Amino acid sequence: MGTRSVWNGSISFGLVNIPIKLFTVLDSNNEYSFNQLDEKGHKIQYKKWCPIEEREIPYEEIRKGYKIAKDEYVIIEKEDFDKIKAITTKTIDIKEFIDLKDFDTILIEKSYYVSPSTDGSAKKRRGKQKENLVSASNKAFRLFVDSLKETNKIAIGKVVLKDREHLVAIRPYQRGLIMHQLMFQEEITPINEIEGMPGSESSGSLVPIDEKELELGKMLIGNLTSSQFDVTQYSDEYAKELEKLVTAKSKGTTYKTEERNDSVDTSDNLIEALKASVQRSKTSKN
């Protein structure tokens, strides 16, 4: 069964309008989810409980509140949210284009595949008329992809998804496009607020680096550098072991795991740790 689209709309820039569909990148079929049980294996229920009145609160009585002081909240009703609700459109409005090298991946929150689509009017048409419309849509999509590739640009725009306005970036990916839903700058913790980060108040003075240490560090990176990144050589080992564990438990058998050999701790001597790492990286490549 093919993946179903999660959003239909269009990319709009200038006077150009390109019908598209969005598909989630994440494959949730490989995820494990667990229920919470009591010691007898009964599934636990969750109740909304008021500790002041000592009673369960039914769904229709529950309100959303924003804390402004200790034990003091401002109640926000559904009607209040509707007043600031973003106007839902079916358009990704492109605001600007930026160089690929200027795009900071820390902004990425989630990603979607983007594919060409026919708009609603195409479905109502028949024969040659529908065929021409589909062809024009695919051509506009292909032109957009190739234009981004040729110029090494990323499109930055805005779109409303699930009643919220989102900043997005669209870039070429393999044979099509990928759209990254981005975080706004104010949602990201500034790096200088991270405890111990170089340049932060808690980091203290910068630690000097010896030339020999730097040379060994560069050598180690060189030995571990691949000519081309191949993500298919990596997989979720934890998920594989979890699957074996669940299968064994369901069959009433014992799950066995291989013992791991702990590496020698050289963290107290940076030079020795670097030398050992460089030697190991040479051996692994041979």
Side-chain angles (χ1 to χ4, degrees):
M1 181 182 290
T3 305
R4 294 180 60 183
S5 64
V6 296
W7 188 86
N8 290 346
S10 63
I11 296 172
S12 175
F13 69 107
L15 298 177
V16 180
N17 194 66
I18 307 170
I20 57 99
K21 292 181 179 181
L22 297 182
F23 298 82
T24 55
V25 169
L26 184 65
D27 183 2
S28 58
N29 293 327
N30 296 324
E31 292 184 359
Y32 278 88
S33 61
F34 294 91
N35 293 300
Q36 292 191 332
L37 314 174
D38 66 9
E39 61 181 9
K40 296 181 179 179
H42 303 144
K43 186 177 178 181
I44 296 173
Q45 292 184 348
Y46 294 90
K47 296 181 179 180
K48 303 292 184 180
W49 183 262
C50 175
I52 307 301
E53 298 182 8
E54 294 187 341
R55 69 182 181 96
E56 184 181 352
I57 308 300
Y59 175 79
E60 58 272 14
E61 289 185 23
I62 295 176
R63 299 290 183 270
K64 290 186 177 181
Y66 185 84
K67 187 176 182 179
I68 56 175
K70 185 178 179 180
D71 298 328
E72 187 176 351
Y73 300 85
V74 173
I75 295 178
I76 309 295
E77 302 288 355
K78 181 181 180 302
E79 294 75 18
D80 297 317
F81 284 109
D82 290 339
K83 291 176 183 177
I84 61 171
K85 183 178 178 181
I87 299 174
T88 301
T89 65
K90 284 293 185 178
T91 303
I92 301 171
D93 187 17
I94 302 301
K95 300 295 185 181
E96 62 176 324
F97 294 88
I98 65 172
D99 290 334
L100 182 62
K101 62 180 178 60
D102 293 332
F103 179 63
D104 195 339
T105 54
I106 194 176
L107 296 170
I108 298 175
E109 184 175 6
K110 64 172 67 173
S111 301
Y112 298 89
Y113 290 125
V114 183
S115 77
S117 173
T118 56
D119 60 16
S121 58
K123 295 178 182 179
K124 299 176 183 178
R125 305 187 187 193
R126 296 180 180 178
K128 195 69 175 177
Q129 198 176 32
K130 179 178 180 180
E131 185 179 324
N132 291 339
L133 197 58
V134 172
S135 178
S137 173
N138 289 339
K139 185 174 183 178
F141 183 88
R142 175 68 184 274
L143 176 63
F144 188 63
V145 173
D146 289 353
S147 297
L148 290 175
K149 284 182 178 179
E150 291 290 329
T151 57
N152 282 321
K153 301 291 184 182
I154 288 181
I156 303 295
K158 281 189 171 184
V159 65
V160 176
L161 299 173
K162 297 180 180 179
D163 298 331
R164 278 199 61 192
E165 185 179 58
H166 296 279
L167 186 66
V168 297
I170 299 176
R171 65 178 178 88
Y173 181 76
Q174 295 185 8
R175 292 174 293 176
L177 294 171
I178 196 163
M179 185 185 85
H180 301 299
Q181 181 178 306
L182 308 179
M183 294 179 285
F184 291 100
Q185 187 62 48
E186 58 266 26
E187 297 178 279
I188 299 175
T189 302
I191 194 170
N192 59 6
E193 293 182 10
I194 303 302
E195 183 179 353
M197 187 70 68
S200 66
E201 293 182 1
S202 61
S203 66
S205 58
L206 292 176
V207 180
I209 298 297
D210 183 87
E211 278 297 320
K212 181 63 176 178
E213 294 169 340
L214 182 59
E215 194 61 36
L216 285 168
K218 291 160 63 176
M219 189 182 300
L220 177 58
I221 290 175
N223 288 348
L224 295 175
T225 297
S226 302
S227 58
Q228 187 174 2
F229 176 55
D230 180 14
V231 71
T232 60
Q233 67 179 311
Y234 300 97
S235 61
D236 189 343
E237 298 299 328
Y238 176 80
K240 291 179 179 178
E241 292 304 313
L242 182 59
E243 182 179 7
K244 293 178 184 178
L245 172 63
V246 171
T247 301
K249 297 276 286 185
S250 66
K251 294 181 177 179
T253 57
T254 302
Y255 167 75
K256 294 181 180 180
T257 182
E258 297 180 3
E259 292 186 5
R260 300 178 181 177
N261 294 323
D262 294 331
S263 57
V264 179
D265 184 14
T266 54
S267 58
D268 59 335
N269 190 320
L270 183 56
I271 284 286
E272 291 304 315
L274 285 168
K275 287 180 179 178
S277 299
V278 168
Q279 188 59 42
R280 178 180 293 183
S281 65
K282 285 181 181 179
T283 304
S284 63
K285 276 198 165 186
N286 295 334

